Amino acid sequence: MQISEEDATELYNICKNITIPLQQYKKYEHTTECRGGRAKQFGNHRAALLGYTLARFKPRSIGHQLSYFSKKHPRLYECLVNISKKYFPEHNWKTIQLNHNVVCTPHIDKYNNGKSIIFSVGDYTGCNLCIETTEGIEEIDIRNKITSFEGARYRHWNTPLISGDKYSFVFYA
């Protein structure tokens, strides 16, 4: 299913006017410890979580709370909620992964439950989604196109970003 040009343009314009945090891989000099999660696998990249996430510095018993980035950028969060209601109202997501010009290596999202919804907006070339299933590898251009797949079941990655500005959104539970 395609996202309308109007919705894609609105979302792209919102994203262009905010700063998405840089996720960095840090290896400490005097220890073997590392910090950076996905940055270790994908390299330094710009990404943020929206929607409901486990609190980072609070006891997990508190449960899921609206993310800091959602509160900081309510217009972006509201736009994404409206898109989800309009295009995939039956999907029960909790969290949205926002990526800016991220090129992912092959991986499985081991903590995702059920199907993930992914799409992207922007003015870019390349960076197609690849999903490895039992039938082979499927390459999909997700620009303005809603795609559903099981990220915890199938290895997936994207092709190199040749040029431009890409924002991708993954809705998952």
Side-chain angles (χ1 to χ4, degrees):
M1 174 187 300
Q2 289 288 124
I3 294 175
S4 74
E5 193 62 42
E6 180 182 335
D7 289 338
T9 300
E10 178 186 9
L11 186 54
Y12 181 56
N13 287 333
I14 293 169
C15 289
K16 284 192 314 186
N17 290 304
I18 62 175
T19 301
I20 298 169
L22 180 63
Q23 308 299 316
Q24 294 181 310
Y25 174 65
K26 295 178 182 176
K27 185 167 184 176
Y28 301 108
E29 290 181 29
H30 304 291
T31 180
T32 57
E33 288 185 35
C34 297
R35 195 183 96 203
R38 295 176 78 85
K40 183 177 179 182
Q41 181 179 6
F42 304 139
N44 295 345
H45 62 281
R46 295 204 173 273
L49 290 176
L50 294 107
Y52 288 85
T53 61
L54 288 173
R56 196 168 168 194
F57 300 108
K58 296 180 183 174
R60 293 205 178 253
S61 61
I62 292 174
H64 289 83
Q65 296 182 331
L66 191 61
S67 73
Y68 169 79
F69 204 76
S70 298
K71 293 174 188 173
K72 186 176 179 181
H73 300 286
R75 187 168 168 236
L76 171 62
Y77 182 61
E78 182 181 325
C79 183
L80 289 167
V81 168
N82 289 339
I83 284 173
S84 76
K85 287 178 182 177
K86 183 175 181 179
Y87 295 101
F88 44 95
E90 72 291 341
H91 189 265
N92 294 319
W93 57 270
K94 256 188 206 160
T95 308
I96 306 164
Q97 172 74 36
L98 162 60
N99 298 307
H100 180 223
N101 290 341
V102 173
V103 177
C104 294
T105 57
H107 67 284
I108 290 177
D109 300 322
K110 62 183 176 181
Y111 297 113
N112 291 16
N113 292 317
K115 292 196 175 208
S116 299
I117 302 283
I118 186 169
F119 65 89
S120 64
V121 297
D123 182 21
Y124 64 93
T125 304
C127 225
N128 291 334
L129 173 66
C130 296
I131 303 170
E132 183 178 23
T133 66
T134 53
E135 289 90 42
I137 297 171
E138 183 179 4
E139 186 174 325
I140 307 163
D141 180 0
I142 61 168
R143 182 185 298 117
N144 301 354
K145 182 180 177 189
I146 295 168
T147 302
S148 174
F149 74 102
E150 292 186 58
R153 184 173 176 196
Y154 298 114
R155 267 180 14 130
H156 54 283
W157 63 94
N158 49 359
T159 59
L161 177 66
I162 296 167
S163 66
D165 206 20
K166 175 189 178 189
Y167 297 90
S168 61
F169 307 88
V170 183
F171 293 71
Y172 64 94

